[in-house]
Amino acid sequence: MLVGISTFAFFLCVAKTVVGSPNFIIFFADDVGYGDFQSFGHPTQEKGPIDVMGDEGMRFTSWYSGDSICTPSRASLLTGRLPIRIGVVGPNRVFWQWDQGGLPKSEITIAEALQQQGYATGMVGKWHLGINEKVANDGGHLPMHHGFEYVGTNYPYGQNWKCDPKKFSTAEMSEKCFKYKNSTFVQQPTDMINSTFEMVEDAKDFIMRNKNQPFFLYMPFLQAHCTLFCSPGFCGSSRRGIYGDNINEMSWAVGEVLDTVKRHSIQENTLAIFISDNGPQLEMCVDGGSSGFLKDLVIGGKGSTWEGGIRMPAFAWWPGTIPAGEVNHEVVSTVDIYATLLELAGGNADEDDVTRDSKSISGVLRNESPSPHEFLFHYCSDRLMAVRYGEYKISYVTQMRTTDFTDFCYEGVPDDDRITNLRCYDDTVVSHDPPLIFNTDEDPAEEHPLNPARHGLMLSHVNEAVRRHKATIVPTRSVLGLKNAALQPCCNYPACVCNYEHPYESQQKSEL
């Protein structure tokens, strides 16, 4: 049982449909970095529909994730809270496939909040917020228990380097590579080749079924988390190699979904946002994405609170409402999606709830107002690492690598224990007193720390904000790391192998 979690206060007693409420689509990439798109400066990545979202809408240069790694960043998106507030913290930092924990059901997700506003809610793609709760295959933590009435093709654990038949046996792949349709097993181990196509077809189906009422579609992609894969129509499509193929395939999927919105003539009533969960897996080198001009390759990617780990490529699209071709420099966060969508849907939240970190950025999207944030707080697990304040980044704690660069640049199978600098408390973590100060507008690579003696008043202001912020944190039991081997997902027990026929397979082969 979780303690100390404030519940969300609704001012509506019954569900209602607000005439004119916009539709919402959230595209959520996996481990895609700030420099992975042509429109964010990559020199060889092909331009695709994701870039076109920026041409037709808005591109954000200072959008921050709720965390620097998969599970907590997803929890922050869906709940509008920092992960420390809901127990999504701990040495493991992510849910494993056999964990008995999951996203706390005491939390009202944005899907549940929008249901109260009369929205149809759907999800396809990667979940990574818990699977089974009490017995194997009960699916007690899957999306349908968190407000998603439609759940198409979904990957409760996402994908893993072991999901590669060229390198692993069926038995090895089965442990972490499996696919569901709603709460039902579809495949174990997973054949990734059809995954993007299946997700797109499910997304189209959901939009078609709900085009005449407000809907919320959450579409977290598998790309571009290792292991990398590509469907037949995208293999070899990029000058950049297999990683570029992945970006092209994901971008195609975004285009297909937005084209569906246009075909049903609902684009002027649809807000779509594309973001990534955290920074790129830099240890994989050319197979691990790019943080662009943010913190250098050695220490600045996924798992860290350097800019490359938490600053995301972001696009917002809403024809007729969001100005086309705008580049927005306001400091905003993934946690803001919660309050923004709820406000646009006509809902009301308890504005006095200091444990809800989300703030509406509806005015920012319209290019009408500045960011509602004076401060953004960046954590590694339950440890406050840094604060963003205006153009400044104040880092109290940073993560460093102690291994030679060449030792962690992988071309084969990575070592899970060395794959990233995910640690929050070991000897690779350095405290700074006084803290490091960077002007991240002028120095986004965080290469030139400022002299703290010249910024005493600013530091006092930030330190007081940190004190006030920490006073709102209520100790909460962790829901991570609760391993129970009996909860390992297994279809066709005890074989843990199934490969049910999927209706899209033959169709994809003929269309791609």
Side-chain angles (χ1 to χ4, degrees):
M1 178 181 180
L2 297 177
V3 295
I5 296 179
S6 175
T7 55
F8 186 58
F10 288 102
F11 293 99
L12 296 173
C13 296
V14 295
K16 67 174 183 176
T17 298
V18 180
V19 176
S21 298
N23 308 308
F24 305 121
I25 302 174
I26 302 298
F27 300 112
F28 206 40
D30 194 358
D31 292 6
V32 169
Y34 193 86
D36 273 333
F37 297 103
Q38 185 185 106
S39 54
F40 274 81
H42 198 284
T44 58
Q45 183 64 56
E46 292 75 16
K47 183 175 182 177
I50 294 175
D51 300 287
V52 174
M53 283 184 71
D55 294 342
E56 298 178 352
M58 184 175 287
R59 182 165 59 87
F60 287 83
T61 63
S62 295
W63 187 297
Y64 287 86
S65 176
D67 202 273
S68 62
I69 191 170
C70 301
T71 287
S73 67
R74 293 161 198 275
S76 68
L77 184 157
L78 292 179
T79 66
R81 301 190 201 272
L82 291 172
I84 189 174
R85 298 194 191 276
I86 56 177
V88 186
V89 294
N92 289 346
R93 296 191 68 188
V94 299
F95 287 115
W96 293 85
Q97 76 276 12
W98 48 56
D99 279 358
Q100 69 183 44
L103 183 67
K105 293 178 181 176
S106 56
E107 289 296 314
I108 296 178
T109 67
I110 184 58
E112 291 169 313
L114 290 174
Q115 279 184 323
Q116 293 290 323
Q117 298 300 118
Y119 275 67
T121 57
M123 180 265 178
V124 295
K126 175 179 176 177
W127 180 240
H128 208 181
L129 288 170
I131 305 175
N132 298 315
E133 184 176 14
K134 297 177 181 178
V135 297
N137 301 337
D138 66 17
H141 294 300
L142 293 179
M144 69 287 299
H145 300 294
H146 293 281
F148 293 100
E149 59 198 49
Y150 173 89
V151 183
T153 300
N154 71 96
Y155 298 80
Y157 187 67
Q159 60 156 322
N160 186 270
W161 7 91
K162 287 190 176 180
C163 304
D164 187 344
K166 298 186 294 295
K167 299 176 181 177
F168 294 94
S169 68
T170 295
E172 289 174 304
M173 291 174 61
S174 293
E175 182 183 64
K176 295 183 178 179
C177 311
F178 39 84
K179 177 170 62 178
Y180 281 54
K181 186 82 167 182
N182 197 11
S183 60
T184 303
F185 260 113
V186 173
Q187 197 175 67
Q188 187 180 21
T190 313
D191 179 358
M192 308 303 300
I193 194 169
N194 297 308
S195 58
T196 308
F197 183 85
E198 293 167 0
M199 288 167 54
V200 165
E201 290 303 299
D202 288 343
K204 289 179 177 180
D205 180 63
F206 174 77
I207 292 170
M208 182 188 69
R209 292 172 182 269
N210 296 285
K211 62 184 179 181
N212 295 321
Q213 69 174 102
F215 65 77
F216 166 53
L217 173 64
Y218 174 49
M219 192 171 183
F221 288 102
L222 298 176
Q223 289 91 356
H225 192 288
C226 296
T227 201
L228 299 176
F229 68 93
C230 56
S231 299
F234 296 96
C235 293
S237 65
S238 177
R239 290 176 294 167
R240 190 178 170 188
I242 183 65
Y243 191 94
D245 294 343
N246 268 240
I247 296 296
N248 286 344
E249 183 165 341
M250 176 175 60
S251 196
W252 165 82
V254 167
E256 287 291 299
V257 173
L258 296 184
D259 283 348
T260 300
V261 169
K262 292 176 181 178
R263 280 197 298 272
H264 291 298
S265 301
I266 54 176
Q267 66 271 21
E268 293 188 357
N269 199 40
T270 301
L271 166 62
I273 296 174
F274 177 96
I275 47 178
S276 180
D277 60 348
N278 46 251
Q281 192 80 67
L282 295 177
E283 298 88 334
M284 305 303 291
C285 296
V286 295
D287 286 350
S290 170
S291 56
F293 49 77
L294 302 180
K295 194 62 180 178
D296 64 87
L297 184 62
V298 178
I299 57 176
K302 176 180 179 179
S304 81
T305 51
W306 295 103
E307 291 290 279
I310 55 177
R311 194 165 172 178
M312 303 295 101
F315 304 83
W317 179 90
W318 189 354
T321 297
I322 292 179
E326 290 286 334
V327 178
N328 194 297
H329 304 293
E330 295 296 320
V331 177
V332 295
S333 171
T334 297
V335 297
D336 296 331
I337 285 176
Y338 192 107
T340 304
L341 302 195
L342 189 56
E343 179 190 87
L344 291 171
N348 294 292
D350 183 356
E351 295 181 357
D352 295 325
D353 182 2
V354 295
T355 71
R356 185 77 64 183
D357 303 286
S358 184
K359 298 181 183 296
S360 175
I361 58 170
S362 61
V364 178
L365 291 173
R366 295 186 177 97
N367 211 22
E368 295 174 348
S369 62
S371 170
H373 292 283
E374 185 177 11
F375 307 96
L376 286 182
F377 300 96
H378 303 297
Y379 280 82
C380 180
S381 185
D382 59 354
R383 188 173 195 176
L384 181 66
M385 307 287 281
V387 178
R388 176 73 193 251
Y389 169 60
E391 69 267 37
Y392 296 105
K393 171 95 166 286
I394 298 90
S395 290
Y396 297 95
V397 186
T398 58
Q399 295 146 297
M400 307 296 293
R401 290 203 189 275
T402 57
T403 309
D404 217 13
F405 170 76
T406 54
D407 287 342
F408 62 80
C409 191
Y410 294 97
E411 293 182 357
V413 179
D415 180 344
D416 282 342
D417 292 332
R418 297 172 59 228
I419 185 61
T420 52
N421 54 326
L422 304 182
R423 307 295 180 255
C424 306
Y425 287 96
D426 68 6
D427 58 6
T428 65
V429 182
V430 181
S431 296
H432 304 279
D433 186 15
L436 300 178
I437 306 172
F438 299 96
N439 185 319
T440 49
D441 283 354
E442 298 176 355
D443 177 26
E446 299 169 284
E447 294 179 338
H448 307 289
L450 305 177
N451 185 346
R454 298 182 178 179
H455 296 275
L457 289 177
M458 185 267 286
L459 275 181
S460 295
H461 184 55
V462 174
N463 288 338
E464 174 58 21
V466 169
R467 185 195 65 78
R468 294 195 306 268
H469 165 73
K470 286 185 174 180
T472 71
I473 304 295
V474 179
T476 304
R477 185 179 302 170
S478 174
V479 295
L480 296 174
L482 305 176
K483 181 178 179 178
N484 181 350
L487 298 183
Q488 166 71 44
C490 179
C491 69
N492 193 26
Y493 184 84
C496 300
V497 174
C498 58
N499 189 4
Y500 307 130
E501 182 180 353
H502 197 288
Y504 299 143
E505 289 185 3
S506 59
Q507 184 181 351
Q508 184 200 29
K509 292 175 182 177
S510 64
E511 291 187 3
L512 289 181

